[in-house]
Amino acid sequence: MVKMVEFTVFKGSKEGKIVQATTKKDIKADEVLIKVTHSGLCGTDEHFKHADMVLGHEGAGVVEEIGASVTTYSRGDSVGWGYQHDSCNHCKHCLTGHETLCPERAMYGYHDFDQGSFAHYAIWKADYIFKIPDSIPREFAAPLQCGGATVFNALRSFGAKATDRVGIIGIGGLGHLAIQFASKMGCHVTVFSSTDSKRDEAMKLGASEFVATKGVKELQVSGKIDHLLICASFQPDWKQFLPIMAPGGTLYPLTVSQDDLTIPYMPLIEGELRIQGSLVAARAVHNEMFAFAAQHQIRPVIEKFPMTVEGIEACMKKLDEGKMRYRGVLVAP
């Protein structure tokens, strides 16, 4: 028997204002009904606030109902979901554990416009939600669904080793998590920020060294960088950073931008450098991220806001102004 559920959601609008609305959905046999308790706010949500769609993709909550064919979850389970909602499950990418590259992938902002994590409930396919470890409170698990999965995937899926040097540009929503994951993986972590204002925080999070970049012509580091994660909201001055890359090193643009990537040509050739695209984590890597975060007590630094129209707007305003430290979390009633 298919059950219809009606619940409150919070949408973007043409004017960029948050609008409270109602969604009605069936719980199909392969789906679960989740009572949302927390949602992270990601920079990607800012890109869709002018769209007529439910916002949010860093959800955490409790399973309240399960479809007839669901065997992997039970009522009361603490679960979450992220950027991807579905895939074809039969193409080469899906069959090799790279479903994020599936031609039929269903991603936030492009599918399922009638629901998101800015809501009181959500209904998702059981195959695309994740069990949250008992040791991670949901208020901290929510930002890991995208922010944590994004930086962990870059490190885990493209060959970073404990003996490598990892550089991280920007100490924000992504960067402060990247510092923790890279340091707990055993890497030497060099953090780059415009000024010294976040030096102490970076070192407490696990940085090995800190470099302020503003007004500096040549960056001074203790060793060449093997993996450089770009976590800032703007493109760096490549003429500063390419000279400190190790031969064969890799650059990872991780933040969302509609601008062209403009970079000096010859240093890439001469140093045999790579530019590596990295989307969110596939499901197997996402589960590894949660297990790793639980084992090493990795936690986002959060600020909490009520999941109301006013609370969401205040949260988004603080992020837009660059004042968030470091992930906003909406708390559902």
Side-chain angles (χ1 to χ4, degrees), residues 247-294:
T250 307
L251 313 169
Y252 302 85
L254 296 182
T255 46
V256 174
S257 173
Q258 300 302 320
D259 297 330
D260 291 339
L261 177 62
T262 305
I263 193 166
Y265 185 83
M266 285 307 296
L268 295 179
I269 295 174
E270 294 170 345
E272 294 189 356
L273 303 179
R274 292 183 293 271
I275 299 173
Q276 177 63 59
S278 178
L279 197 53
V280 292
R283 289 171 291 176
V285 179
H286 196 117
N287 282 323
E288 286 183 13
M289 178 275 297
F290 262 144
F292 190 91

Side-chain angles (χ1 to χ4, degrees), residues 157-286:
S157 298
F158 302 106
K161 304 185 298 294
T163 52
D164 288 342
R165 288 176 173 262
V166 173
I168 296 167
I169 303 177
I171 313 169
L174 289 178
H176 90 286
L177 288 168
I179 296 169
Q180 294 182 70
F181 278 112
S183 64
K184 293 298 185 181
M185 289 177 176
C187 301
H188 181 284
V189 180
T190 303
V191 174
F192 301 93
S193 189
S194 298
T195 69
D196 276 320
S197 64
K198 297 179 181 178
R199 178 187 293 270
D200 290 344
E201 287 176 278
M203 301 307 288
K204 288 176 183 177
L205 289 168
S208 310
E209 65 178 320
F210 182 97
V211 179
T213 62
K214 189 174 182 179
V216 178
K217 186 175 181 180
E218 295 184 5
L219 300 178
Q220 302 297 317
V221 293
S222 62
K224 299 279 189 175
I225 304 298
D226 299 294
H227 304 272
L228 183 64
L229 277 59
I230 297 95
C231 299
S233 58
F234 52 87
Q235 288 191 45
D237 180 351
W238 293 113
K239 293 180 180 178
Q240 276 186 312
F241 285 94
L242 294 185
I244 64 170
M245 292 299 297
T250 307
L251 313 169
Y252 302 85
L254 296 182
T255 46
V256 174
S257 173
Q258 300 302 320
D259 297 330
D260 291 339
L261 177 62
T262 305
I263 193 166
Y265 185 83
M266 285 307 296
L268 295 179
I269 295 174
E270 294 170 345
E272 294 189 356
L273 303 179
R274 292 183 293 271
I275 299 173
Q276 177 63 59
S278 178
L279 197 53
V280 292
R283 289 171 291 176
V285 179
H286 196 117

